[in-house]
Structures are given as structure tokens and as C-alpha cells.
Amino acid sequence: MSRIKATGLAHKVMDAAQAAALFTNGMVVGASGFTKSGDSKAVLAALADRAAKEDIKITLITGASLGQDTDARLANAHGLHKRMPFQADPVLRKHINNGEVLFIDQHLSESVELLHNHYIPQLDIAVIEAALITEDGSIVPTTSVGNSASFALMAKKLIIEINTVVPESIQGIHDIFVPDDYPHRNSIPVNVPDARVGTTTIKIQPDKVAAIVYTAVQDSPADIVPPDAKTEAIAGHLIKFFEAEVAAGRLTNSLLPVQAGIGKVANAVLNGFRKGHFADLTMYSEVLQDSTFDLIDAGKLRFASGSSITVSAECYDRVVNNLDHYREKIVLRPQNISNAPGVIRRLGVIAINTAIEFDMYGNVNSTHIGGTHIMNGIGGSGDFARNAYLSIFVTQAASKNDTISHVLPMVSHVDHNEHDVDILVTDVGLADLRGLAPRERAKVIIANCAHPYYRDALQDYFDRACAQRGGQTPHLLEEAFSWHVRLRERGTMKG
Amino acid sequence: MSRIKATGLAHKVMDAAQAAALFTNGMVVGASGFTKSGDSKAVLAALADRAAKEDIKITLITGASLGQDTDARLANAHGLHKRMPFQADPVLRKHINNGEVLFIDQHLSESVELLHNHYIPQLDIAVIEAALITEDGSIVPTTSVGNSASFALMAKKLIIEINTVVPESIQGIHDIFVPDDYPHRNSIPVNVPDARVGTTTIKIQPDKVAAIVYTAVQDSPADIVPPDAKTEAIAGHLIKFFEAEVAAGRLTNSLLPVQAGIGKVANAVLNGFRKGHFADLTMYSEVLQDSTFDLIDAGKLRFASGSSITVSAECYDRVVNNLDHYREKIVLRPQNISNAPGVIRRLGVIAINTAIEFDMYGNVNSTHIGGTHIMNGIGGSGDFARNAYLSIFVTQAASKNDTISHVLPMVSHVDHNEHDVDILVTDVGLADLRGLAPRERAKVIIANCAHPYYRDALQDYFDRACAQRGGQTPHLLEEAFSWHVRLRERGTMKG
Ligand SMILES: CC(C)(COP(=O)(O)OP(=O)(O)OC[C@H]1O[C@@H](n2cnc3c(N)ncnc32)[C@H](O)[C@@H]1OP(=O)(O)O)[C@@H](O)C(=O)NCCC(=O)NCCS
Ligand SMILES: CC(C)(COP(=O)(O)OP(=O)(O)OC[C@H]1O[C@@H](n2cnc3c(N)ncnc32)[C@H](O)[C@@H]1OP(=O)(O)O)[C@@H](O)C(=O)NCCC(=O)NCCS
């Protein structure tokens, strides 16, 4: 019981099944968890068990994706009515795409705004993983902050999951800042990535605590995909680009604070910074990944700000056993601070995110397959791309034996439009779109990024669109999606 | 000469033709002017005269649109190579759409970032309209600030147009704040609409002044379109919505700071605030229009922040002759401050902008006709819609004898995607999309906003897309643009 330092809360301890009995059908639930880290390991699982037997469906709002197959279990048990703001689970994805679960895909900085503005009903219960409850009745989060601070503030009741595999020494890694209410909100005073502007714990109202549940389960590890020829090529183009920016005097060899999306490309790019003349780098990102800690250990990265630590099992042990070493080098913030539009612009963040596909004018699809089926969600890509100093999107030029081109006449779904995209990179090459009008962008994207097999077809479409229709953004609307249609009908985009 | 208080600058006075001789082919030029206000009246016109006779083409960057037919004259004289970040001129539009002039359509808050980051070449010359040059060698802008402060700072040379129809008493209306350079930028300390955080004049380096030209020409007046049945209906739906928000306790009768786009709908909505219980309203907007001053005079609007004053000839006289009265009630800011993402979110702005068309999932097209031809540009709509407390878009349900539906299966161009759109309004009705997933949004948009003639066809498309494809955002890609294609081929969207 030593993890509960506050007096008067110990009697709230119960097991997960008992805590799960507190939920009723139709409730709106906020839960900790961001990119599989710091999520509920026991209570939501127990709720899924209940939902498998009873008619109980909730609206579930998290930080971002959950680990532990929790989303899959809840979806399979028909326990989800609505889900937001992000997910990355194949089973839940299926339930969303067949219309069984309603999914609201949100900019990660915005979920607490929507709650705060009462656009989403008040949270009935918040379930928050914590390392401990302090003497003054605050909670210390674990490996993510996500939306937990605002959830704790706004929920009617709180269930706290104390995870004893996370050492108490994690205290001090978090920086909790909650913006004031309208119309008296002040600016978020984060002017450098390593600014600490809030408290190290989340203040709660003890009388809202409905249950405390003990767990001892590690976060689901990140899937580390080893680099391959394509990710190496993408990383290579980008590192060359950054070196050229430094040579041109637009950046120093400390660059500006870097944000990197999840996945193998991001890891490959970050690893690329270990070579070369880069020094004293900083990150202002969402997720701190293996590569973040590798760069810190290599002496290249001075400081990293994020909202979660999502790493492989090996790296997890390294971090958790050396928290005193990393404490001065990292900070975990609420996602409305890590992703705050104003802070991202103020710091001049270099944003590197992965696209599902992009088009010849530089519009990016991050979320939908074939214009209809969601993959994961927009996540923080919009918060960063819109406000970044440099907004970079990467993807492979073609996939599945080159039957799918990821460079297209028109994207089947627009998450980021040409205004928000500066640099596009595929394994084929890099398109620098800065200062270019749409017709100029098309030429560079087709020449530099398209897979050779599709290059002529793209150029042909562009030429005919210019000749037959013209305009600021020439298109043949009746043909714009023909590549996607062909893929659906014939299993290949090849004409 | 009394408008030049600084000693040592009087000898720079010359006529417009002499100043126009300072330009050479290929130059990058920054010019004041925002929504037809505070623009160059003499020098750019004289440059157009030169371009009509000589081979001289420039890249022209302004605040937003220009008045005085300057864009038309420059385009007709083939004097424009590239143009950014906004325009609203029918002649220039034609030259852009036929590919003669390259147009970069930018979020209005971002142009100075792009210049500052050297993504656009350094300005060779900035042409800035001023009311006077002060003793300490600063300039007092006129009816707009736009990008003038940063242009003055970043250009190699300055041409100042002193416009004597603007009274010197305009001094004090402007609040000039220029963000610092990366990596040492601080937050923009605007925490309330009436905050004054900078200087009242634009500091310049006197040795950069290449010419001073006197003019005495009034800004082109705003086109005030009288309200009609459709705009009255849209305004009516919105006012009813705001009254309901107040009744529900989500807003007080002072609302939150309002931003209103240009055009007849915005004026109609703002006029609607004169009725009802609204009091102590504020605006944090781009353009201060006739309706702004009418609301101030009616005692309903306490304070209005913008980047320009763009009003009818009648209202212009009223404002210019009563500057002492309005000085405490309005402020003009640089557009990277009026449109700053962080400030818009911090203040909780209610953003009301006009769409060209929107689709059944709530994606909005603000810029392109038929997916190809630019109308004006995205302007500040993205800065506001993305970061607003409430993001509202309005348009008519159908136009041109109802041959065009403005509510569509899929927009032909995406400027704002469903993440950034809370409320949609047409003359038919209002769709409140807060807290709804895409499939739920479609039902509300079709039922509430679509023109009755097109309602069943939209519902039919949606039903078939759900049944045949499914997904988070059901679509039949091969049919998604069929309404636009039909309009192009047969002159009507009617099936
Ligand atoms: C976009 C995103 C899904 C890419 O992730 P990734 O794992 O690098 O991408 P992958 O290439 O493995 O996956 C894309 C899949 O879509 C497939 N695909 C792409 N276009 C397709 C199309 N038109 N039709 C069918 N399948 C298509 C690819 O072939 C690939 O399939 P596979 O997984 O079977 O190989 C991921 O980055 C994401 O969710 N981003 C949005 C959130 C975000 O950017 N957050 C930023 C801050 S963390
Ligand atoms: C979107 C915008 C053009 C609407 O302006 P508006 O004057 O209210 O719109 P209108 O209805 O008069 O004009 C739209 C025209 O497009 C036409 N149109 C719309 N959809 C069309 C289509 N699919 N095909 C052909 N024409 C179409 C309409 O019929 C109308 O034509 P008309 O002018 O001949 O009547 C304008 O608000 C704008 O430029 N917005 C972007 C910038 C912005 O929002 N700034 C915000 C801060 S100021």
C-alpha cells in the first residue's frame, strides 16, 4: 500500500472486476494511454469482460492508441459505442470501418478543448494509470501524460490504476500545465523545448476517487521494424537535405526542435542524425521512441519533450532503470501542450510525419485507405504540419509489388493540404516545395518522388489536365480517382 | 512636406514614375494592402504602366487583396511572375487560372514566416502606404497593417507612399508586434482582444528608404451587397444558434471574440447581433467592416481587433472623421498576429467564414471552382477554422437557379477538413456537427443544409456508399465527383 501516500484513500482499493462494476451502459469514459503507454491495464480489460456478457457500451476517449489489446477486446465484446481521438488497433479498425463503432478522428491537441467546451458530454469516469498517489493527494502519471490531467479535472469520478512495475522515481519527469478557462486563458509559456511550466503531479479531488486498483504489467512494447532499403533511402534523402540546409545557413547544426511521427521511417531518420555534424539537437514531439534515447545516449540529442515514452522492451528497461540519468533530458507533457499550435509555431518545430499517400500538388492523406477505410487517425500530424517551421511527409513511392503508387493524381482523402506541406520524400527522392505554386509543385513531385513505373502516367495526367482544364490546380475530375478505382477493381494501379 | 517629420528624408520625395523606375525584372516585391485597404495607390500603378511597355515581371507579395484595380493592371501588363498570398481580382484570377501568373495561396498568418525562413527570396523592395513618417523615422501605417511591419524589416529597400487623405490622427490605432527570430521566439502576449503589446509605429532603417511618393487617393470602397432572403435566412439560423448556446450556458451573452469573413453573409450575421440580448461583444478578426462600426455605434460591440478597415465610402468618412472616438475601440495588428494560431485558440475565437461548397461529411472548399479554378484564396479561413472555439462555415444551399448544389457528396477541393468544421449553415438550415462521427455528420448535413431538390440524391449516394463500400467515410470514388462533372458537361448538377 506504500504507493498511496495520501491518507484516507487506502480504503478505495479494490480489484479490477469490482472497479469495472462502476460503469453503466452509455457512460462517457476518459482513459489514460498514449501510443500504447501509460494505459489502463486492468480496469478496461475487466470492463471488456463485462461487456462480453452484458449489454454495456461506452464512449471511450483516450490520449491516443492503447496497448494490451484493450481496444480489440472492447470492440470484440461490443463494448464501444463511440471512440476518440485515435486508435491503431486492427480489430477495432474493422469494427469502425464496418460502421459498428463510431470513431471521431481528432487533432490530438483538440480533444480536451472539445470536452472543455462541452461539445462532448462530461466524462462520467476517468481511468488513469499512476505510479503513486502523493501525500497531498496528487497522482504521478507513468509513461505518458496524454489527456490525463484534463480528464482527472473534468470527470465526475476517478479510477486510479497504480502500476507497480513503474518505479516511483518516475516522479519529476512530467510537467503538468492545464490552460485556464475562457475568456481568461493565458499563453502557454513554453518558449524552449526544455521549459518546465507546470507541476510534476496531477492534482485531483480525493472525494472523486471511486476506486484504486493495483496492477503490475509493463506497457506493450513498441514494434521496432528494422530498417530496410526503402526506409534507409528515405532517411538518406532527408539527412542530405538537412545538411544542405545547414550549409545554406538556413539552419545551424542543432537544427530546430524536431518532431518525428511513429514508425520505421521516423526511427531511421532519427538514427541518421547520429552520423554527420549534427549536435545539441532537441525534440519537441509526441512520442519518445527508441531512437530518441539512442540519440541522447550518443550525445547528439540534448533534450526531448513528448507526451509518452513508447519503446521496445529492451529500451524500456534501460529507461526505467536509469530515470535519474534521463530526468534532466526529457519531459512528458499533456498532449494539448506537446501539440499546441502556438507552441509549435513559436519553437519553429521541424515536423516529420508519415503519409499513406500524397498527390502531385502536395496534398497528403494520413488516414484513409481508398478514400473510405480508416487506418489509424490523423493523430498529431495536423497540429504539427500546419504550424511547423518545416512540414515534411514521407512514404514509400510504391508498395505491394508496385501495384500501389503512393504518389497520385489526387489523394482519395485530404488530411493536410498543399498549404501545410513543405517537403515530400519517398525512397525515390525528395521534393522541396517551398516557394512553389501548385503547377510548379507537380513537376517537382512527379520528377523527384514518383516511382519510375508511374512517373509517365502522372506526367501525362498533369499535362492533359493543364491542356484540357487549366486552372490553379489542373485536374480532370472524372479521372482523378481512376487509379484508386483500378486498384479496387483489378488489384493494381498499373494501367 | 509636413507628413515627413524625420529630418534627412525629405530629399527622397519623388513622383510615382520615378519610384517605379527603381524596379528591375525578376524582383521580389512586398507591398502593403489588405482587403483593398492601405495599399499602394501610385507606385504599383506606375509599375504597371512600365510593364505595359517593357519586359518587366515581378513576384508580388501583399497582405491580402489590393484595391484600385492594381492587380488587374499588373496582370494585363504581364507584370506579374508570381503572386501571393491572396487576391480577389477577376482579371488577375483569369491570368492565374490560364497559367500565366503563378499564384501561391497561403494561410495569411504564414507569409511572413516563409519570408523569414528564407523559403521565399529576400524582398528587393517593399512599397508601404503610410500616413506619416514620425520624428524618430518610423512610419505610421494607414487603414491596414497586413504584412507591412515585417516587409519593412526584411526588404533591402523601401518605398513609402504617404497618403494625405488619411488624417495624421490615425496614429495610435495600430499595434505593431514582430515575433523574434528562431530559436529565441517568445509568445505573442495577446491574451484579450484589446491587448496592446507592441508599438504604434513601424520602425524602419532610414538608409533603406529609396523613395517617398505622395498620394491623395481614398481606399477602394468595400462592395456592400444588401441582404437578401438567403443571407437573412443564414443569419437567422446562426443568431438562433447563438441564443441557444447562451441559453444552454455554454456561452454568455458576450459570446467569445468573433471573427467574421468578408462578404454579405458576414455583414448580415453581424447585423443580427444588434437584435437580441447580446452585449459587450468583442471581435478578433481580420477585416473590420461596416457592420463592425455599426455594432460599435449601437453599443453592442465593446472592442474590435483586425488587420484592416475595409468599409463603404459612407462608413469610411464616418471612421476617418471620428478617429478619436474609435481609437479606444479598435486596433489594427499585423496579420501574423491577428491570425496567429496560438492567439486564436487562446482567445477561443468564434470563426464565421464563407464556403464555396461543402460536402456531406463536413469538408469545406473555400477556394476552387470545379476543383481546378481558383476563386480568391484560402485567406485567413484556415488560421481561424483550425484553431477556433467554434468553426462555422456558411454558404447558400444552391445557386444559379438551383443548377448548382453547394452541398455535395465530395468537395472538389479540400481547404478545411471535417476535423476543423463544427457548424455548417445554409439558407435551408444549420447542422451542428459537434461530437459527431462522419456517418452521423452526413445524416445531419443532408437533412438540415441540403437544398430540397438535392436532398434525396445525397441521401441515396450516402446510403449506397455505406452499403457498397462502408468505412469511416463511405464514398463511391468513381461517382464522388459526378455532380461536378455533370455541371461541366450539361450546365446543371440536376440528375
Ligand atoms: C500513415 C501511417 C498509417 C503510416 O504508417 P506506416 O506503418 O509507416 O505505413 P505502412 O506503409 O506500413 O502502411 C500503410 C499500408 O497502407 C497500404 N496502402 C497505402 N495506400 C493504399 C491504397 N491506396 N490502397 C490500399 N492499401 C494502401 C500500404 O500498402 C501499407 O499496407 P501494409 O501495412 O499491408 O504493408 C501512420 O504513420 C499513421 O497512422 N499516421 C497518422 C498519425 C500521425 O501521423 N501521427 C503523427 C504523430 S505520431
Ligand atoms: C468563398 C468565397 C469565394 C465566397 O464569397 P461570396 O462572395 O460569398 O460567394 P458567392 O456566392 O458570391 O460566389 C461564389 C460563386 O461561385 C459559384 N459557384 C459555387 N460553386 C460552384 C461550382 N461548383 N461551379 C461553378 N460555380 C460555382 C457560385 O454560383 C457563385 O457565383 P456568382 O459569383 O457568379 O454568383 C469567399 O468568402 C472567399 O474568398 N473565401 C476565402 C477566404 C476567406 O474565407 N477568408 C476569411 C477571412 S476574410
Side-chain angles (χ1 to χ4, degrees):
Chain A
M1 293 290 153
S2 71
R3 295 275 186 130
I4 307 176
K5 322 283 181 192
T7 51
L9 279 177
H11 70 285
K12 297 287 185 183
V13 175
M14 58 183 83
D15 69 24
Q18 287 172 307
L22 299 170
F23 295 82
T24 57
N25 191 29
M27 273 190 169
V28 180
V29 176
S32 65
F34 194 100
T35 326
K36 302 203 278 189
S37 297
D39 54 341
S40 155
K41 273 93 177 170
V43 175
L44 290 184
L47 179 63
D49 291 342
R50 255 191 82 194
K53 288 175 250 147
E54 288 173 55
D55 192 14
I56 180 163
K57 267 188 195 320
I58 61 164
T59 290
L60 178 61
I61 316 176
T62 55
S65 57
L66 302 178
Q68 316 291 337
D69 290 322
T70 300
D71 266 326
R73 293 175 67 173
L74 281 167
N76 275 333
H78 308 290
L80 294 176
H81 166 60
K82 235 177 220 188
R83 182 76 177 86
M84 59 193 96
F86 190 75
Q87 61 77 36
D89 184 278
V91 174
L92 173 55
R93 182 182 299 151
K94 207 186 70 198
H95 287 264
I96 292 168
N97 283 321
N98 71 20
E100 244 183 89
V101 178
L102 293 164
F103 177 57
I104 309 188
D105 181 17
Q106 290 166 349
H107 299 301
L108 292 186
S109 73
E110 286 190 2
S111 309
V112 299
E113 306 289 345
L114 303 178
L115 270 170
H116 183 271
N117 300 346
H118 307 290
Y119 299 172
I120 300 165
Q122 195 189 349
L123 297 180
D124 294 296
I125 297 183
V127 185
I128 297 177
E129 188 181 81
L132 65 149
I133 303 175
T134 62
E135 270 149 42
D136 71 347
S138 305
I139 55 180
V140 175
T142 59
T143 43
S144 72
V145 178
N147 288 321
S148 297
S150 292
F151 285 173
L153 209 65
M154 290 192 269
K156 293 179 205 158
K157 283 185 187 168
L158 278 179
I159 298 176
I160 302 170
E161 275 190 36
I162 296 187
N163 190 342
T164 53
V165 302
V166 181
E168 295 190 33
S169 59
I170 200 158
Q171 185 167 359
I173 277 205
H174 314 92
D175 185 45
I176 311 296
F177 179 90
V178 178
D180 310 302
D181 289 348
Y182 296 128
H184 301 294
R185 196 183 274 197
N186 289 316
S187 66
I188 302 165
V190 175
N191 293 348
V192 287
D194 45 335
R196 289 192 158 270
V197 300
T199 56
T200 57
T201 62
I202 297 175
K203 194 98 209 107
I204 57 168
Q205 280 175 260
D207 57 338
K208 290 207 301 194
V209 178
I212 301 174
V213 176
Y214 272 91
T215 59
V217 181
Q218 230 170 269
D219 287 336
S220 299
D223 316 308
I224 301 293
V225 188
D228 58 24
K230 281 185 188 173
T231 58
E232 290 287 323
I234 291 171
H237 298 311
L238 257 178
I239 296 296
K240 219 177 94 190
F241 165 79
F242 285 119
E243 285 171 346
E245 288 296 295
V246 174
R250 276 190 288 264
L251 290 169
T252 71
N253 62 8
S254 302
L255 306 180
L256 280 165
V258 174
Q259 175 261 341
I262 38 173
K264 51 192 180 181
V265 180
N267 267 320
V269 172
L270 290 187
N271 284 328
F273 287 132
R274 294 169 68 168
K275 303 161 210 149
H277 303 296
F278 305 104
D280 275 328
L281 296 169
T282 56
M283 290 189 78
Y284 196 79
S285 197
E286 279 179 10
V287 183
L288 307 187
Q289 311 176 50
D290 281 45
S291 48
T292 308
F293 295 95
D294 294 344
L295 276 178
I296 289 176
D297 294 347
K300 287 284 186 182
L301 182 62
R302 187 172 60 73
F303 195 88
S305 165
S307 194
S308 81
I309 298 171
T310 303
V311 291
S312 66
E314 174 278 313
C315 188
Y316 186 90
D317 291 338
R318 175 153 50 108
V319 173
V320 156
N321 294 323
N322 292 285
L323 282 167
D324 287 336
H325 169 64
Y326 290 117
R327 197 188 312 282
E328 303 304 311
K329 297 185 163 57
I330 65 173
V331 66
L332 297 184
R333 305 181 190 279
Q335 68 198 67
N336 48 328
I337 309 300
S338 64
N339 289 28
V343 175
I344 293 165
R345 182 163 294 182
R346 187 188 308 155
L347 296 181
V349 170
I350 295 172
I352 308 170
N353 289 293
T354 310
I356 286 179
E357 60 186 19
F358 56 76
D359 70 27
M360 61 187 192
Y361 295 113
N363 300 290
V364 168
N365 172 9
S366 292
T367 57
H368 281 65
I369 301 290
T372 55
H373 283 56
I374 194 112
M375 182 65 128
N376 301 324
I378 196 163
S381 57
D383 292 320
F384 283 95
R386 171 70 58 91
N387 299 294
Y389 163 87
L390 260 181
S391 167
I392 301 169
F393 282 92
V394 302
T395 188
Q396 45 192 336
S399 68
K400 305 228 160 70
N401 287 322
D402 305 337
T403 55
I404 298 177
S405 175
H406 294 240
V407 188
L408 291 153
M410 185 185 260
V411 285
S412 59
H413 181 92
V414 179
D415 290 297
H416 314 288
N417 56 31
E418 50 115 350
H419 312 286
D420 297 336
V421 180
D422 298 314
I423 308 284
L424 288 172
V425 196
T426 65
D427 43 309
V428 170
L430 181 147
D432 183 349
L433 308 174
R434 295 175 294 174
L436 301 186
R439 288 179 189 227
E440 297 177 295
R441 296 165 75 98
K443 283 177 204 150
V444 179
I445 292 171
I446 294 170
N448 294 12
C449 294
H451 187 281
Y453 182 87
Y454 293 99
R455 197 177 290 145
D456 292 346
L458 279 169
Q459 187 67 47
D460 175 61
Y461 174 87
F462 175 64
D463 292 341
R464 287 184 295 118
C466 290
Q468 294 173 33
R469 299 293 147 77
Q472 162 82 347
T473 310
H475 267 302
L476 304 163
L477 285 190
E478 66 280 19
E479 197 183 317
F481 292 142
S482 59
W483 297 28
H484 295 92
V485 172
R486 196 152 55 229
L487 177 67
R488 216 184 62 79
E489 290 175 353
R490 297 197 231 148
T492 178
M493 286 188 181
K494 292 190 175 179
Chain B
M1 293 291 150
S2 72
R3 294 275 184 131
I4 307 177
K5 323 282 181 193
T7 51
L9 279 177
H11 70 284
K12 296 288 184 182
V13 174
M14 58 184 82
D15 68 26
Q18 287 171 308
L22 297 170
F23 295 82
T24 58
N25 192 28
M27 274 189 168
V28 180
V29 177
S32 64
F34 194 100
T35 325
K36 304 202 278 190
S37 298
D39 54 340
S40 155
K41 273 92 177 171
V43 175
L44 290 184
L47 178 64
D49 291 342
R50 255 191 82 195
K53 288 175 248 147
E54 287 174 56
D55 192 13
I56 181 165
K57 265 188 197 318
I58 61 165
T59 290
L60 178 61
I61 316 177
T62 55
S65 57
L66 302 178
Q68 317 291 336
D69 290 322
T70 300
D71 266 326
R73 291 174 69 172
L74 281 165
N76 276 332
H78 307 290
L80 294 176
H81 166 60
K82 234 176 221 189
R83 181 76 177 86
M84 61 194 94
F86 190 77
Q87 59 79 36
D89 184 279
V91 173
L92 173 55
R93 181 182 300 152
K94 208 186 68 200
H95 287 263
I96 291 168
N97 283 321
N98 71 21
E100 245 183 88
V101 178
L102 293 164
F103 177 58
I104 309 188
D105 181 17
Q106 290 166 349
H107 298 301
L108 292 186
S109 73
E110 286 190 1
S111 308
V112 300
E113 305 290 344
L114 303 178
L115 270 169
H116 182 270
N117 300 346
H118 306 290
Y119 300 171
I120 298 164
Q122 195 188 351
L123 297 180
D124 294 296
I125 297 182
V127 186
I128 296 176
E129 186 180 84
L132 66 150
I133 303 176
T134 62
E135 270 151 40
D136 71 347
S138 305
I139 55 180
V140 175
T142 58
T143 42
S144 73
V145 177
N147 287 320
S148 297
S150 291
F151 285 172
L153 209 66
M154 292 193 267
K156 293 179 205 160
K157 282 184 187 168
L158 278 179
I159 299 176
I160 302 169
E161 276 190 34
I162 296 185
N163 190 342
T164 54
V165 302
V166 180
E168 296 190 32
S169 58
I170 201 159
Q171 184 167 358
I173 276 204
H174 315 91
D175 184 44
I176 310 297
F177 179 89
V178 178
D180 311 302
D181 287 348
Y182 295 127
H184 302 294
R185 195 183 274 199
N186 289 317
S187 66
I188 302 165
V190 175
N191 293 348
V192 286
D194 47 334
R196 290 194 157 270
V197 301
T199 57
T200 57
T201 63
I202 297 175
K203 191 100 210 108
I204 57 167
Q205 280 175 260
D207 57 336
K208 292 208 299 195
V209 177
I212 299 174
V213 176
Y214 273 90
T215 58
V217 180
Q218 229 171 269
D219 287 336
S220 299
D223 316 309
I224 301 294
V225 188
D228 58 24
K230 282 184 188 174
T231 58
E232 289 287 323
I234 292 172
H237 298 312
L238 258 178
I239 295 297
K240 217 176 95 189
F241 166 78
F242 284 120
E243 284 171 344
E245 288 296 294
V246 174
R250 275 191 288 266
L251 289 169
T252 70
N253 63 8
S254 301
L255 305 182
L256 281 164
V258 173
Q259 176 260 342
I262 36 172
K264 50 192 179 180
V265 180
N267 267 321
V269 172
L270 290 187
N271 284 328
F273 287 132
R274 293 170 70 169
K275 301 162 213 148
H277 303 297
F278 305 105
D280 274 327
L281 297 170
T282 56
M283 290 189 78
Y284 196 79
S285 197
E286 280 179 10
V287 183
L288 308 187
Q289 311 175 50
D290 280 44
S291 49
T292 309
F293 293 96
D294 294 344
L295 275 179
I296 290 177
D297 294 348
K300 287 283 185 181
L301 183 62
R302 186 172 62 73
F303 194 86
S305 165
S307 194
S308 81
I309 298 171
T310 303
V311 291
S312 66
E314 174 279 315
C315 187
Y316 186 91
D317 290 338
R318 176 153 49 110
V319 173
V320 154
N321 293 325
N322 292 286
L323 282 168
D324 288 335
H325 169 63
Y326 289 116
R327 197 187 313 281
E328 302 304 311
K329 297 184 165 55
I330 66 172
V331 67
L332 297 183
R333 305 182 190 278
Q335 67 198 69
N336 48 330
I337 309 300
S338 64
N339 289 26
V343 175
I344 292 165
R345 183 163 294 183
R346 187 187 309 155
L347 296 182
V349 171
I350 295 172
I352 308 169
N353 289 293
T354 309
I356 286 180
E357 60 187 18
F358 57 76
D359 69 27
M360 60 188 192
Y361 295 114
N363 300 289
V364 168
N365 171 9
S366 292
T367 56
H368 281 64
I369 301 290
T372 54
H373 283 56
I374 194 117
M375 182 65 130
N376 301 322
I378 195 163
S381 57
D383 292 319
F384 283 94
R386 172 68 59 90
N387 300 294
Y389 163 86
L390 261 183
S391 166
I392 301 168
F393 281 93
V394 301
T395 187
Q396 46 192 336
S399 67
K400 304 228 160 69
N401 286 323
D402 305 335
T403 55
I404 299 177
S405 174
H406 295 240
V407 187
L408 292 153
M410 184 185 261
V411 285
S412 59
H413 181 93
V414 178
D415 289 297
H416 314 289
N417 54 32
E418 50 115 350
H419 313 286
D420 298 336
V421 180
D422 298 313
I423 308 282
L424 288 172
V425 196
T426 65
D427 42 311
V428 170
L430 180 146
D432 183 348
L433 308 173
R434 295 174 295 175
L436 301 186
R439 288 179 189 226
E440 296 176 295
R441 296 165 75 98
K443 283 178 201 149
V444 179
I445 292 171
I446 294 170
N448 294 11
C449 294
H451 187 280
Y453 183 87
Y454 293 98
R455 197 177 288 146
D456 293 347
L458 278 169
Q459 187 67 45
D460 174 61
Y461 174 88
F462 175 64
D463 291 341
R464 287 184 294 119
C466 290
Q468 294 173 32
R469 299 293 146 76
Q472 163 82 348
T473 312
H475 266 302
L476 304 163
L477 286 189
E478 65 280 18
E479 196 183 318
F481 293 142
S482 59
W483 297 28
H484 296 92
V485 172
R486 196 153 54 230
L487 176 66
R488 216 184 61 79
E489 290 176 354
R490 299 198 230 146
T492 178
M493 286 188 182
K494 293 191 174 179

